[in-house]
Amino acid sequence: MKTKGGIDVPPDLASALAVDAEVLAMWQRLRPSCQREHVASVLDAKRPDTRQRRVAAVIKTTKEWNARHPRAAKSFENSRVGPLLEELRAMGSEKNRAGMARYGINVENAFGVSVYELRKIARGQGGDHDLALALWATGNHEARLLACFIDDPAAVTGEQMETWASDFDSWDLCDQATTSLFDLTGHAWTKAAEWARRDEEWVKRGGFALMAGLAVHDKTAADRAFVKLFPVIERGAFDERNFVKKAVNWALRNIGKRNEVLHAPP
């Protein structure tokens, strides 16, 4: 058995997944990056008992992820999605996809359309929460970016934020969702603190990106609200993953730019 990315699944994990056809189907729904991380966690185990526990943990996590992400329901269908996808497809190019890949963007399900062009399309759509949900459900990279630009922040729920965050598979999608939409919602402060403490790479980056966005867009926030984030930011600075470290730095710089008090806190 191999992951979607072509990595061999360890025999003990493969056997555990194959015991139940439903669990195996759940595994197949996971993103390639998630499958890769699960395989790595099993392979990193040094002791047999630790490896067994990690296999069980992968099965449990796979079931929990599927429970949080049921297959797209009919309510996500929208007549405007098809034409928009065709428009995006026509605008894309292999040259643009190659350029995106060079910048570390996941182009597995991308057409190759710039964010600049997507924002122009978004201006013609208006705030449309239902359309945003339908676009996100397609799984297409550009459609999901477009969803971030046209969604209505007032309609975004905490559950939606969790669902979308678990789908993050690239730094640009993470950053646009958090600083173009999520930071404008009523759940932004709570999710920023929660996600920054999480272990998943893109979710954790999303927490710090939210802080960076709040520092710019929440003009009424008191200094003490940002001061409370400094211990979380300090812990995040020791994360060895580059995408997380960059977001930590981004959050700290944006907070420091607000005023002299936050630039040099006591």
Side-chain angles (χ1 to χ4, degrees), residues 99-157:
M100 291 163 62
R102 283 196 299 272
Y103 280 96
I105 296 173
N106 187 339
V107 296
E108 183 178 351
N109 194 3
F111 295 137
V113 183
S114 71
V115 169
Y116 173 76
E117 295 296 334
L118 291 173
R119 287 192 180 277
K120 288 201 297 186
I121 295 175
R123 287 195 289 271
Q125 300 301 319
D128 192 324
H129 180 62
D130 290 338
L131 178 58
L133 293 177
L135 285 168
W136 190 274
T138 68
N140 174 261
H141 188 75
E142 284 84 359
R144 285 183 165 178
L145 287 171
L146 186 58
C148 299
F149 302 148
I150 69 172
D151 206 347
D152 176 6
V156 174
T157 65

Side-chain angles (χ1 to χ4, degrees), residues 1-227:
M1 180 189 298
K2 292 183 180 294
T3 67
K4 291 178 180 177
I7 300 172
D8 289 326
V9 177
D12 45 355
L13 176 57
S15 297
L17 292 168
V19 167
D20 188 328
E22 184 176 358
V23 173
L24 183 58
M26 292 179 179
W27 168 264
Q28 296 299 341
R29 290 191 65 217
L30 298 181
R31 300 189 306 275
S33 58
C34 290
Q35 292 182 343
R36 182 175 65 250
E37 290 176 5
H38 288 324
V39 167
S41 71
V42 173
L43 293 176
D44 286 346
K46 305 301 182 184
R47 296 164 51 89
D49 56 335
T50 302
R51 188 171 175 121
Q52 186 175 8
R53 285 196 299 272
R54 291 192 179 177
V55 167
V58 169
I59 300 299
K60 180 174 182 291
T61 301
T62 298
K63 291 179 178 179
E64 290 174 346
W65 185 92
N66 275 265
R68 294 195 306 270
H69 302 85
R71 295 185 182 276
K74 292 288 185 180
S75 58
F76 282 161
E77 293 181 355
N78 190 298
S79 60
R80 294 162 65 189
V81 170
L84 279 171
L85 283 178
E86 288 306 310
E87 181 179 357
L88 293 173
R89 190 190 309 276
M91 294 172 64
S93 72
E94 285 303 315
K95 180 180 178 180
N96 288 346
R97 291 181 78 251
M100 291 163 62
R102 283 196 299 272
Y103 280 96
I105 296 173
N106 187 339
V107 296
E108 183 178 351
N109 194 3
F111 295 137
V113 183
S114 71
V115 169
Y116 173 76
E117 295 296 334
L118 291 173
R119 287 192 180 277
K120 288 201 297 186
I121 295 175
R123 287 195 289 271
Q125 300 301 319
D128 192 324
H129 180 62
D130 290 338
L131 178 58
L133 293 177
L135 285 168
W136 190 274
T138 68
N140 174 261
H141 188 75
E142 284 84 359
R144 285 183 165 178
L145 287 171
L146 186 58
C148 299
F149 302 148
I150 69 172
D151 206 347
D152 176 6
V156 174
T157 65
E159 182 180 2
Q160 176 188 338
M161 291 173 67
E162 287 291 341
T163 298
W164 285 23
S166 68
D167 286 336
F168 292 163
D169 61 359
S170 198
W171 63 264
D172 65 327
L173 184 58
C174 170
D175 295 357
Q176 295 298 345
T178 50
T179 63
S180 296
L181 177 63
F182 291 169
D183 61 334
L184 303 175
T185 72
H187 313 284
W189 284 94
T190 299
K191 294 303 180 184
E194 287 180 1
W195 290 354
R197 294 181 172 89
R198 296 264 288 273
D199 186 58
E200 305 99 308
E201 182 176 13
W202 298 119
V203 176
K204 191 167 188 176
R205 179 184 173 95
F208 293 110
L210 261 175
M211 295 178 195
L214 285 166
V216 174
H217 295 140
D218 194 339
K219 305 297 185 182
T220 63
D223 289 347
R224 62 178 178 275
F226 291 101
V227 171

